[in-house]
């Protein structure tokens, strides 16, 4: 179940998927929410240089929300108190700023909904037909809501998300903790499993976790950057792994 140039995913024991940007185009919603929030914040605080799309890939993509906020502010030599996850959106803390972004994200998701990438859905169908165990490994606390909105929650017995990561004090990607924990939840060996990621930090996470195959999906990070981070193969769409049946 692959094109000749790509490995057969069914020869592994399990496939672990990142969510945003891999299964669903929620990365676009996240990017919009981050841009809106940080442009307003930078204007209010007089922070330079202005926020750019590169900031998303360098500091935010694939990380837990508050870690991303702290990393981006640090890139501008700005330090604020960490605060508490219960902080209101008006709080000038890492958590308060992160909560502002989440409000924008949730509003857009509820208004517009979400659908899986067609190519990703094709691969999930093929893996399901082959009886392959699959899971979701996401840094987002919105993973359950996104999976439900996309109509694919029931495909994943294991969802390792930002809620579990915070509860269990797991380090954010690029640390290997979330991928390794998900493999443990699935009762599979990372060395015999596939990790699929579109974020540089996520690829690094899977590579450092010792996964047998790390697949990079290039949704904008760049194929060379994904390979440099540890991806064994890079595709532009997951449908590339699905062999076309003969007519």
């Amino acid at each position: 179940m692959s094109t000749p140039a790509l490995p057969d995913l069914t020869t592994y024991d399990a496939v672990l998927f990142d969510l945003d940007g891999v299964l669903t185009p929620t990365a676009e919603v996240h990017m919009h929410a981050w841009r809106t929030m940080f442009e307003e914040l930078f204007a209010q605080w007089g922070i330079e240089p202005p926020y750019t799309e590169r900031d998303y890939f360098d500091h935010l993509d694939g990380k837990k929300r508050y870690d991303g906020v702290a990393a981006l502010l640090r890139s501008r030599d700005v330090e604020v108190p960490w605060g508490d996850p219960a902080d209101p959106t008006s709080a000038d803390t890492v958590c308060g700023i992160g909560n502002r972004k989440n409000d924008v994200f949730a509003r857009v998701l509820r208004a517009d909904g979400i659908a899986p990438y067609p190519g990703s859905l094709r691969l999930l169908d093929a893996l399901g037909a082959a009886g392959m165990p699959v899971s979701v490994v996401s840094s987002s606390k919105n993973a359950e809501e996104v999976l439900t909105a996309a109509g694919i929650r029931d495909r994943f017995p294991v969802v390792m998300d930002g809620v579990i990561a915070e509860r269990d004090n797991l380090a954010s990607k690029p640390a290997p903790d979330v991928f390794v924990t998900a493999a443990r939840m699935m009762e599979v060996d990372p060395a015999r499993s596939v990790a699929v990621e579109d974020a540089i930090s996520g690829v690094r996470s899977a590579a450092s976790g010792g996964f047998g195959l790390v697949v990079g999906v290039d949704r904008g990070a760049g194929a060379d950057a994904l390979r440099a981070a540890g991806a064994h193969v890079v595709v532009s769409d997951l449908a590339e792994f699905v062999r076309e049946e003969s007519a």
Side-chain angles (χ1 to χ4, degrees):
M1 191 205 65
S2 65
T3 60
L6 292 173
D8 185 348
L9 302 188
T10 63
T11 62
Y12 292 83
D13 292 346
V15 183
L16 292 74
F17 293 91
D18 177 47
L19 176 59
D20 299 335
V22 170
L23 297 177
T24 59
T26 32
E28 298 171 12
V29 184
H30 281 294
M31 289 176 71
H32 172 71
W34 280 122
R35 182 177 64 253
T36 298
M37 190 276 297
F38 271 117
E39 284 179 349
E40 292 176 357
L41 184 74
F42 281 21
Q44 291 169 3
W45 290 8
I47 296 175
E48 295 287 347
Y51 179 85
T52 68
E53 185 176 289
R54 192 70 240 171
D55 284 316
Y56 175 80
F57 293 111
D58 289 346
H59 306 296
L60 302 168
D61 192 17
K63 294 183 180 179
K64 290 191 289 186
R65 187 190 315 156
Y66 303 138
D67 289 345
V69 170
L72 181 50
L73 291 179
R74 198 174 299 118
S75 76
R76 301 304 199 275
D77 296 320
V78 175
E79 297 283 347
V80 297
W82 188 269
D84 183 271
D87 282 354
T89 57
S90 59
D92 290 332
T93 63
V94 167
C95 293
I97 293 167
N99 293 343
R100 292 180 209 177
K101 174 263 174 182
N102 196 56
D103 279 358
V104 178
F105 175 85
R107 186 167 64 248
V108 174
L109 184 64
R110 286 192 297 267
D112 299 343
I114 200 74
Y117 287 109
S120 301
L121 198 56
R122 285 183 61 198
L123 178 57
L124 286 176
D125 288 342
L127 293 174
M132 283 290 292
V134 295
S135 71
V136 166
V137 184
S138 173
S139 298
S140 175
K141 291 183 177 180
N142 300 300
E144 292 280 357
E145 183 179 1
V146 170
L147 287 166
T148 300
I152 56 174
R153 176 62 184 88
D154 60 348
R155 294 174 182 256
F156 301 99
V158 170
V159 175
M160 167 71 238
D161 64 3
V163 175
I164 296 174
E166 183 173 286
R167 182 196 71 195
D168 295 347
N169 198 31
L170 301 176
S172 181
K173 301 172 184 177
D177 301 40
V178 289
F179 269 108
V180 171
T181 298
R184 188 179 304 122
M185 292 166 68
M186 298 179 75
E187 300 182 344
V188 296
D189 180 358
R192 291 288 313 146
S193 302
V194 181
V196 186
E197 266 284 358
D198 71 310
I200 293 170
S201 61
V203 167
R204 288 175 177 158
S205 173
S208 62
F211 277 76
L213 179 66
V214 180
V215 176
V217 185
D218 184 11
R219 307 285 194 196
D224 290 343
L226 292 169
R227 290 190 188 94
H232 299 116
V233 296
V234 176
V235 296
S236 59
D237 191 281
L238 290 177
E240 294 174 41
F241 282 101
V242 183
R243 179 183 292 133
E244 297 290 348
E245 297 296 331
S246 300

